[in-house]
Every structure is written in structure tokens, then in C-alpha cells.
Amino acid sequence: MDSPHNPPPSLELLIGDITGEDVDAIVNAANSSLLGGGGVDGAIHRAAGPELVEHCRTLGGCETGQAKITPGFKLLARWVIHTVGPVWHGGTRGEPELLASCYRESLARADEVGAATVAFPAISTGVYGYPIETAAAVAVGTIRSTPTNVSEVRLVAFNQQTLDAYRELL
Ligand code: ADP
């Protein structure tokens, strides 16, 4: 199925709560334990129900820049792709490469299960402190340059500043 001739996915931009997205897979900005946390992670676990954390307990965590996939349980989305973004330390500890890896690895997990539509939150830009303008550039640049069978990516902003940062780029 993988082909170098796939067009890049279309990029849709919206503001809202990612847990309500009717897509094949939503991406979670998780922490390395995969056992839940605050922000989007907490919202996804609440909406998916307790089966999600039970399933995540079997996965042995996840390294920064990597991604693991689970069912979506009570979510509309069939899958949740859990990726661990880098904590921002000023940009000199490989943060851009690690953040790009989150987007690439998430698209790879989507391809493995045949997910055609995927929604991403702005990974690392909450508690992990990654500046939104640079994070948005990494997100858009990586999604556009990664070969994938995903046909539609939704960038879900949770606030106006995030929406504006993406708008500047699209
Ligand atoms: P991280 O630890 O990777 O920074 P956070 O969850 O703290 O993760 O924040 C990542 C991004 O997700 C932030 O832009 C935050 O505003 C956003 N966010 C928080 N809750 C939701 C939600 N329910 N839907 C979509 N985005 C959300």
C-alpha cells in the first residue's frame, strides 16, 4: 500500500475538543507512563472510559518521540495514538527532532491500522511548554513531508493562539 506517489494528506484546521472528533484515530499528547495525566491526555482518558488505562497498563510506557496505538473504547474514534512529546528546555536538547518524530511515528501507527483520517492536538504546547509558533511549524512541515496513506489530518486547536499559529502557516 505504501507508495511514494501518495499525495500529502489534506490539512483541516479547527478549534475545539479533540475527544469529540469523528475520525479514525485521534492522537493523544501523552506522558511516558501512558497512564493518563492532565490536559488533552486527561480529557481523552475521561471520554474513552476506564478500559483505556487498563489497556495502556499493558504497553510498558512509551519513549519521547515514539507512538503507540490503542483502541478508542467509548470515543467516536476507533483508535487512539499515544505519542510522547518533548518537554521544552529552550530548543537545544533535540526538541524539534523529537517533536517531528511524534508526528511521523503517529502517522506510521495510523498507516499500520489503515486509518485514513487522523486528528492531532498541538503536541507539547501545553504543560510541556513548547512555544506554539515553532511547534506549529514543526507539525505542519512534518505532516506535509511524511509519506503516508492518511488522506486527511485535522489540526485541533484548543485555544485562539494555537488556531492563529496554524493559520499563519496554512
Ligand atoms: P503536553 O504535555 O504535550 O504539553 P497538554 O495536554 O498539556 O500536553 O497540551 C497539549 C495541547 O493540547 C495544548 O495546546 C492544549 O491547549 C491542548 N488541549 C488540551 N485539552 C485539549 C482537548 N480536550 N482537545 C484538544 N486539545 C487540547
Side-chain angles (χ1 to χ4, degrees):
M1 281 274 285
D2 285 292
S3 146
H5 305 297
N6 284 328
S10 70
L11 279 175
E12 311 292 331
L13 180 53
L14 59 128
I15 191 161
D17 179 355
I18 200 169
T19 64
E21 284 303 302
D22 188 3
V23 284
D24 296 328
I26 65 171
V27 175
N28 182 15
N31 59 55
S32 59
S33 76
L34 297 185
L35 299 180
V40 72
D41 194 9
I44 288 173
H45 276 272
R46 277 192 299 279
E51 282 174 297
L52 181 57
V53 74
E54 282 166 29
H55 186 103
C56 285
R57 267 193 254 283
T58 69
L59 299 179
C62 184
E63 304 270 309
T64 302
Q66 298 299 308
K68 291 188 177 180
I69 191 161
T70 70
F73 298 102
K74 290 185 181 146
L75 292 165
L76 282 175
R78 182 163 174 204
W79 307 103
V80 178
I81 297 166
H82 306 262
T83 189
V84 182
V87 176
W88 179 256
H89 290 289
T92 56
R93 298 198 200 170
E95 293 96 325
E97 294 78 9
L98 288 165
L99 186 60
S101 176
C102 288
Y103 285 91
R104 272 197 307 274
E105 290 293 317
S106 295
L107 292 170
R109 294 298 88 72
D111 282 339
E112 284 161 11
V113 300
T117 54
V118 179
F120 281 91
I123 299 162
S124 284
T125 66
V127 172
Y128 282 4
Y130 207 119
I132 181 58
E133 287 77 13
T134 47
V138 170
V140 170
T142 306
I143 292 164
R144 282 186 169 150
S145 63
T146 300
T148 177
N149 291 315
V150 172
S151 58
E152 181 187 328
V153 167
R154 296 188 194 167
L155 297 170
V156 182
F158 200 56
N159 55 50
Q160 189 66 41
Q161 194 194 3
T162 302
L163 189 75
D164 292 345
Y166 284 134
R167 255 195 202 134
E168 283 287 313
L169 298 162
L170 297 179

